[in-house]
Amino acid sequence: MPESVSPPSAPVRPGALPSRSESVLEAIKHLILVGDLRSGAQLVETDLAERLGVSKTPVREALRTLAGSGLVTISPYKGVAVRVVDRDLARAVYDMRLLVEPVATARTAASGGGDWAAAAAALDRADAAADGAQRSVANRAFHRAVYAGCGNPILVKVLDELQDQTALVSSMVWNTLPSWEQEAAEHRAILRACRAGQADQVRDLMRGHISSFVARSFPESEAR
């Protein structure tokens, strides 16, 4: 039985291997974001520990962390479950992104600190994705690559947590309202502006990108 399962996309701190708890956290998060553990699914510590080949302690710690970031919910009567995405949650997540992500991405473009190669590779993976879950993970990787160099670690942490919840929302939307072609074109325009260091244009493009997704996916929010 393996010691632990670490997803291919799990972030690892430069110069360090992840601890057991971090590996378990990233493994469970990956299972949620690719749709292996679906919205509303019950998460039983013993089952997850057996699946990942670890004790229950790191699983318990991981579930508490995921509850803090909004990916799972913990109820004293119902236990732990993958968070159910509803329209109110989706609108709240995208409203918060609209407030902070255009600024973070513009700062990254201005500083030249973005990983543009990683962003381009993420777009290629998204185009080749077999389903909404795979595309959602690639989409998350693209956005992180273009905002992570903003120079503010607190802002990056906030956006990372929002991206986790965004992945739940976007995979749901793409399964019911195909719109990836338009989003892919918007992503490539953002990346071109990032590479050119056009911070003001990047800010405007990212704001328009997020706003247009909300308008297409949740049109009733436009009337609010």
Side-chain angles (χ1 to χ4, degrees):
M1 182 177 293
E3 289 187 353
S4 65
V5 175
S6 181
S9 59
V12 178
R13 297 189 305 274
L17 290 175
S19 69
R20 174 65 59 84
S21 295
E22 289 171 331
S23 295
V24 172
L25 171 64
E26 293 300 331
I28 297 174
K29 180 189 293 187
H30 185 74
L31 291 173
I32 293 171
L33 296 184
V34 300
D36 197 305
L37 298 172
R38 296 187 176 278
S39 176
Q42 293 297 123
L43 304 177
V44 180
E45 288 180 11
T46 52
D47 293 346
L48 288 171
E50 182 177 356
R51 180 172 184 173
L52 301 178
V54 298
S55 69
K56 291 195 298 183
T57 299
V59 171
R60 186 178 303 117
E61 292 172 350
L63 293 177
R64 288 173 180 167
T65 299
L66 292 171
S69 67
L71 281 184
V72 308
T73 58
I74 299 178
S75 167
Y77 302 106
K78 297 182 179 180
V80 185
V82 178
R83 185 162 191 169
V84 175
V85 176
D86 58 25
R87 289 179 177 267
D88 288 339
L89 170 64
R91 283 192 293 265
V93 168
Y94 277 84
D95 184 49
M96 187 66 178
R97 283 185 62 197
L98 195 58
L99 290 173
V100 296
E101 191 169 348
V103 173
T105 309
R107 288 183 179 180
T108 302
S111 70
D115 191 340
W116 312 139
L123 294 185
D124 290 340
R125 292 197 303 276
D127 287 341
D131 54 39
Q134 291 181 10
R135 183 167 291 135
S136 184
V137 173
N139 177 67
R140 180 184 187 277
F142 167 78
H143 279 271
R144 193 177 200 285
V146 298
Y147 69 64
C150 68
N152 185 328
I154 296 176
L155 183 54
V156 172
K157 183 175 185 293
V158 168
L159 282 167
D160 282 349
E161 293 180 354
L162 287 172
Q163 285 296 335
D164 287 344
Q165 296 182 56
T166 296
L168 290 178
V169 176
S170 58
S171 60
M172 173 193 73
V173 169
W174 289 327
N175 285 334
T176 59
L177 181 67
S179 61
W180 176 251
E181 289 77 9
Q182 178 173 340
E183 290 175 51
E186 292 168 357
H187 283 161
R188 296 196 182 278
I190 291 168
L191 182 55
R192 285 194 297 272
C194 283
R195 282 175 159 157
Q198 299 170 331
D200 289 344
Q201 185 178 7
V202 168
R203 183 190 60 242
D204 293 343
L205 287 171
M206 183 61 77
R207 183 179 291 120
H209 171 61
I210 297 171
S211 297
S212 66
F213 180 86
V214 173
R216 290 192 305 273
S217 307
F218 312 103
E220 69 275 17
S221 67
E222 293 294 290
R224 293 191 171 192

